[in-house]
Amino acid sequence: MSFTVAIDGPAAAGKGTISKGIAAHFGFAHLDTGLLYRAVGRRTLDGTAPIEAAQVLTAEELEQGDLRTAEIAQAASKVAVIPEVRAALVDFQRAFARRAGGAVLDGRDIGTVICPEAEVKLFVTASAEVRAERRYLELSAKGADVTRDQVLADVRERDARDAERATAPMKPAEDAVLLDTSDLNADAALAQALALVERKRPATF
C-alpha cells in the first residue's frame, strides 16, 4: 500500500528538514528531488550536455558529497528549466512516490506535476529575507566566502527562475496546505507538518 507526501516550496524554506522529519517519524522513504537536478547540474559543470546528463543519471550520483554547494545549486536551477531534463527525471520520481510503505518527496513541482494524486500536499515557504539569512548561515558554517547581500540576490534570482519557467513552474497545488516558516523554528514547523500528515494517514499505516 502506498501513501505519498508531496512537499514543495522555494529554497531554504525548511522543506528538506520537514520532509526528513516526516519520513523519520512515520518510517517513510524520503527523496529530495532537488538532488536529482543538482546531480544533473554537477554533470553539466564537467561538460556534459544537460539532457544527456539527466538521461544517464544514476542513484549513486545522489550520494555525492558536493551537491550542496552554491555553484551546483545555480547549475541545478538552470537545468531545471529545460523540459527534456524534467521529462527524463519524472519516471524515477513517480516510481519512488508510489513505493509500498509510504514516501515523502520534496521539490518544486511534486504536488502539481509529479504526484498530483498525493494524499498529502504541503507548500512550505518563508520570506526571501529569512530564507537568505538561513542559507547564508549554512554556507558560512561550511566555510563558503559569501555575503548576505550576495545570498539574498541568489535566492531572489532562483525564485524568479523557478516560478517563471514554462515547464512545471514552482507554485502551490490548488489543494496544498501552505506552511509559512518565517516565524517558526524547525521544531515548530515540523510539529505542524506532522499533525497534518497524521490527520491524513490511514489507520493501516
Side-chain angles (χ1 to χ4, degrees), residues 93-117:
Q93 295 172 79
R94 286 180 175 163
F96 187 97
R98 303 316 287 179
R99 61 170 55 197
V104 184
L105 290 82
D106 67 85
R108 300 290 193 280
D109 64 345
I110 310 305
T112 54
V113 175
I114 304 301
C115 304
E117 304 303 320

Side-chain angles (χ1 to χ4, degrees):
M1 184 176 180
S2 61
F3 180 81
T4 305
V5 180
I7 301 181
D8 294 305
K15 65 181 182 296
T17 299
I18 290 170
S19 299
K20 292 173 186 174
I22 291 173
H25 182 84
F26 293 107
F28 297 160
H30 172 250
L31 177 64
D32 174 358
T33 64
L35 286 180
L36 299 174
Y37 295 95
R38 285 174 178 264
V40 172
R42 185 186 186 282
R43 272 184 173 264
T44 66
L45 295 176
D46 294 334
T48 306
I51 297 172
E52 178 187 352
Q55 291 171 338
V56 301
L57 187 68
T58 65
E60 288 73 25
E61 290 178 68
L62 305 183
E63 305 299 324
Q64 296 175 111
D66 63 349
L67 295 181
R68 297 290 184 184
T69 67
E71 180 184 23
I72 288 179
Q74 286 298 319
S77 185
K78 291 174 182 175
V79 301
V81 306
I82 302 171
E84 293 85 355
V85 168
R86 305 195 71 84
L89 300 176
V90 164
D91 288 345
F92 182 100
Q93 295 172 79
R94 286 180 175 163
F96 187 97
R98 303 316 287 179
R99 61 170 55 197
V104 184
L105 290 82
D106 67 85
R108 300 290 193 280
D109 64 345
I110 310 305
T112 54
V113 175
I114 304 301
C115 304
E117 304 303 320
E119 285 76 13
V120 177
K121 298 178 187 177
L122 268 174
F123 191 86
V124 181
T125 190
S127 71
E129 291 75 15
V130 167
R131 291 185 290 113
E133 179 66 12
R134 290 172 181 169
R135 183 51 54 86
Y136 169 77
L137 294 174
E138 176 187 348
L139 293 172
S140 296
K142 295 178 180 178
D145 182 18
V146 293
T147 66
R148 283 182 166 85
D149 287 344
Q150 177 187 347
V151 175
L152 178 58
D154 287 345
V155 164
R156 286 175 170 160
E157 177 186 344
R158 187 172 178 187
D159 284 353
R161 189 158 54 230
D162 289 344
E164 294 168 6
R165 64 188 178 216
T167 301
M170 179 184 66
K171 63 180 180 180
E174 290 185 2
D175 54 346
V177 175
L178 183 67
L179 177 57
D180 190 323
T181 67
S182 297
D183 298 318
L184 298 176
N185 63 28
D187 289 341
L190 177 58
Q192 290 192 24
L194 289 174
L196 172 66
V197 176
E198 188 62 60
R199 290 196 299 271
K200 300 276 190 177
R201 186 171 64 105
T204 52
F205 265 84

